Amino acid sequence: MTDKYDVIVIGGGPGGYAAAIRAAQHGFKTACIEKRVGAEGKPALGGTCLNVGCIPSKALLDSSWKFHEAQQSFAEHGIQVDGVKIDVAAMQKRKDSVVAQLTGGIASLFQANKVTWLQGTGKLLAGKAIEFTPLDGGASQTLNAEHVILAAGSEPVEIPVAPLVEDKVVDSTGALAFTEVPKRLGVIGAGIIGLELGSVWSRLGAEVVVLEAVDTLLANVDKQIAREAGKTFKKQGLDIRLGARVLSTDTDGDEVKVTYADKDGEHTETFDKLIVAVGRRPNTNGLLAPDSGVTFDERNYIFADNQCRTEVTGVYAIGDLVRGPALAHKALEEGVMVADVIAGEHTQVNYDAIAAVIYTHPEIAWVGKTEDEVKAAGDNYKTGVVPFAANGRALASGEATGMVKFVADADNDRILGMHVIGPQASELIQQGVIALEFGATIEDLQLMVFSHPTLSETVHEAALAADFKAIHIAQRRRK
Ligand code: FAD
Ligand code: AMP
């Protein structure tokens, strides 16, 4: 094996694999070091996202939603089904095959682009050298590269009050691999991951209680959307207890006893299984020699500037290792940006136009500023809000819950934020991303022709509503 590369990437998740592919596209001799062993016991690319994150969670969310629909809403469409049952093993097998297809796809892309996949662990040493320890037990060796991209991602935060206990108290990875539906499931943390995983098992019949320390649901989501989300989750039977801080867990018996405190005092709940979903932290364990020169920011992420340069010239850090939202698309675009920057191109991720999505049902998605953020900044603003109940397509498919909301600058009409709770919010929000990227105004969207009947018409109507011009809802002008 050669030990000299133009670019070495440590980590083969969305950030790392995209960086490696783009670097190879630029003609650089590129290697990507990845230590992960996948569910089949073989080395796997794709990182958290493809193996134990975005993709398997969406596979289970989709399977569980189909089950829920067959039970709850087919009859409304005149479809009679008796004896609907869930086969968890088959559902998990399907999930695993989706994961295998996608992770294998990255390996093929590496081959096609001539990226060398080094299966093992990478560690950054002083002077930009890299120690590579192969997975196959071979001797470690020192590699060198002009440019190093750190893309080691993140891992679940563990809390001392709820240590993991195999098959009983699990993190998100364990919760994606349950072999049966728990009767009573506890979830610590009502963040994106807790809500998505809680939804999966609740749809399949588990009684789910979510314990959240903070007393506001989805505190960083626009208030109006978060309120609607709270109402919908309640209707769906998700028991979300806010202001509930977990104090201890007891796994001595067959079940898990959880003690938590809220404003009324201490309470104990008993569950078959408990998911700990209290956030993720950068995966810097064993990644850096003490004299690597790479530094950390005040929140313990690897310090990176706007173009992901660390304090060491020629060493970059991207994705969940660095500041900003822990999202796969953010990691991926940072990877592409760094490879372009190394090639001498001027590329800059637009950090103001990165959407976030919660894949509950209905989905929740947002990009840009919330109404409260704009209000707090003292800006002169306007909002346009239209419910999906006024949308023909949403009604036709029985998905007329939620709304689209725009927040815009009242002086120059520029769109500042878009917020959606409703059907296909994950897809609709991309219209807000494009609008923000192009510096679009509310009028730009008002003047566009949207196909009928589509969910996107609610985007159009919400833009119209910002100026009291909506056609399909009755609006009264505020004085
Ligand atoms: P990762 O994907 O974490 O990849 C890093 C890789 O580096 C890992 O495979 C690791 O094995 C490897 N590595 C670490 N250290 C070393 C080393 N020293 N040597 C060699 N290899 C190393 N985001 C979304 O945008 N949408 C979603 O729907 C979504 N759903 C999620 C659901 C769940 C349950 C979870 C847990 C996460 C989800 N995320 C989602 C977040 C998303 O997975 C991450 O933001 C994304 O994977 C970050 O990409 P990354 O490339 O920075 O790191
Ligand atoms: P996120 O970081 O978005 O995945 O969300 C994790 C959530 O877990 C946050 O909303 C935290 O408030 C919550 N959390 C963290 N520790 C505890 C705890 N001990 N008990 C209950 N909730 C917690």
Side-chain angles (χ1 to χ4, degrees):
M1 186 204 307
T2 169
D3 65 355
K4 182 91 184 88
Y5 292 89
D6 297 322
V7 177
I8 291 182
V9 184
I10 303 183
Y17 79 67
I21 290 172
R22 177 55 63 87
Q25 286 171 345
H26 281 301
F28 294 124
K29 187 169 151 51
T30 305
C32 178
I33 305 177
E34 171 58 66
K35 66 178 181 184
R36 182 177 295 273
V37 176
E40 293 168 323
K42 292 193 208 130
L45 291 168
T48 303
C49 176
L50 268 58
N51 289 280
V52 290
C54 329
I55 297 302
S57 60
K58 266 77 259 180
L60 295 187
L61 279 158
D62 283 344
S63 295
S64 60
W65 185 250
K66 285 185 199 298
F67 176 71
H68 172 90
E69 281 199 301
Q71 279 197 321
Q72 310 281 331
S73 56
F74 276 14
E76 203 184 303
H77 291 266
I79 306 167
Q80 303 288 343
V81 282
D82 290 325
V84 179
K85 276 198 254 159
I86 183 73
D87 176 345
V88 176
M91 181 183 77
Q92 292 289 18
K93 199 168 150 208
R94 174 187 169 277
K95 175 207 77 182
D96 290 341
S97 79
V98 172
V99 168
Q101 192 178 340
L102 284 165
T103 54
I106 304 297
S108 307
L109 287 172
F110 271 16
Q111 263 182 344
N113 286 283
K114 301 198 169 47
V115 174
T116 304
W117 172 13
L118 300 175
Q119 298 172 353
T121 304
K123 182 178 194 172
L124 183 71
L125 309 176
K128 228 171 43 182
I130 287 172
E131 177 187 273
F132 169 61
T133 309
L135 268 178
D136 65 11
S140 296
Q141 48 194 295
T142 305
L143 308 175
N144 289 287
E146 278 304 306
H147 307 277
V148 176
I149 304 173
L150 304 173
S154 62
E155 56 188 8
V157 167
E158 288 184 32
I159 44 175
V161 292
L164 301 190
V165 177
E166 203 185 337
D167 205 32
K168 245 182 184 182
V169 182
V170 298
D171 58 16
S172 57
T173 303
L176 290 167
F178 286 160
T179 51
E180 57 188 5
V181 181
K183 232 167 136 311
R184 239 174 109 65
L185 172 66
V187 180
I188 310 182
I192 299 186
I193 293 176
L195 289 171
E196 289 187 1
L197 293 173
S199 296
V200 166
W201 298 105
S202 153
R203 291 167 190 172
L204 298 177
E207 192 187 327
V208 177
V209 178
V210 184
L211 301 170
E212 167 55 57
V214 170
D215 50 18
T216 325
L217 180 65
L218 299 174
N220 55 347
V221 173
D222 188 274
K223 262 199 197 121
Q224 205 172 350
I225 303 288
R227 249 197 322 269
E228 182 76 9
K231 278 194 265 168
T232 322
F233 294 151
K234 197 166 182 189
K235 256 192 243 155
Q236 289 172 355
L238 269 184
D239 179 354
I240 303 175
R241 302 188 190 166
L242 300 172
R245 173 163 291 280
V246 172
L247 301 175
S248 66
T249 49
D250 173 358
T251 51
D252 277 352
D254 283 345
E255 293 164 320
V256 188
K257 273 200 191 123
V258 178
T259 303
Y260 69 92
D262 63 13
K263 61 179 179 6
D264 301 321
E266 283 191 17
H267 314 267
T268 298
E269 282 286 353
T270 306
F271 303 108
D272 302 306
K273 289 191 198 293
L274 179 67
I275 304 174
V276 183
V278 294
R280 297 182 63 81
R281 61 180 182 80
N283 191 359
T284 47
N285 234 347
L287 178 69
L288 306 168
D291 54 356
S292 72
V294 168
T295 57
F296 292 84
D297 65 19
E298 62 289 351
R299 295 188 57 216
N300 258 337
Y301 289 92
I302 289 183
F303 169 80
D305 72 7
N306 245 7
Q307 286 183 316
C308 296
R309 290 178 196 87
T310 68
E311 295 279 19
V312 182
T313 307
V315 177
Y316 300 79
I318 61 174
D320 283 10
L321 273 182
V322 301
R323 80 283 170 277
L327 293 169
H329 42 290
K330 177 261 193 186
L332 191 144
E333 294 305 336
E334 286 185 332
V336 167
M337 170 176 74
V338 166
D340 285 351
V341 165
I342 290 171
E345 292 180 5
H346 182 80
T347 313
Q348 178 61 58
V349 168
N350 181 357
Y351 287 103
D352 293 332
I354 297 177
V357 181
I358 309 178
Y359 293 83
T360 44
H361 202 101
E363 293 175 345
I364 301 162
W366 67 97
V367 64
K369 295 199 165 70
T370 63
E371 181 174 352
D372 276 354
E373 281 169 342
V374 175
K375 196 189 282 177
D379 295 335
N380 193 12
Y381 73 95
K382 57 186 177 181
T383 62
V385 185
V386 167
F388 283 102
N391 179 292
R393 185 69 191 276
L395 283 165
S397 53
E399 294 278 359
T401 52
M403 66 189 88
V404 176
K405 171 173 183 174
F406 277 110
V407 181
D409 188 309
D411 297 328
N412 64 18
D413 203 38
R414 279 272 164 92
I415 294 168
L416 301 173
M418 175 176 165
H419 309 270
V420 186
I421 177 167
Q424 306 282 341
S426 57
E427 300 293 340
L428 295 175
I429 200 66
Q430 304 314 319
Q431 303 181 26
V433 173
I434 295 169
L436 282 179
E437 183 66 37
F438 281 92
T441 60
I442 283 287
E443 187 187 35
D444 288 328
L445 289 194
Q446 291 173 344
L447 295 175
M448 286 177 195
V449 182
F450 283 68
S451 307
H452 176 75
T454 59
L455 297 171
S456 296
E457 284 175 291
T458 301
V459 176
H460 189 208
E461 286 278 299
L464 289 166
D467 290 327
F468 301 93
K469 291 176 177 172
I471 301 294
H472 297 94
I473 56 165
Q475 283 190 286
R476 210 172 304 139
R477 191 175 276 276
R478 287 182 288 257
K479 291 277 181 248

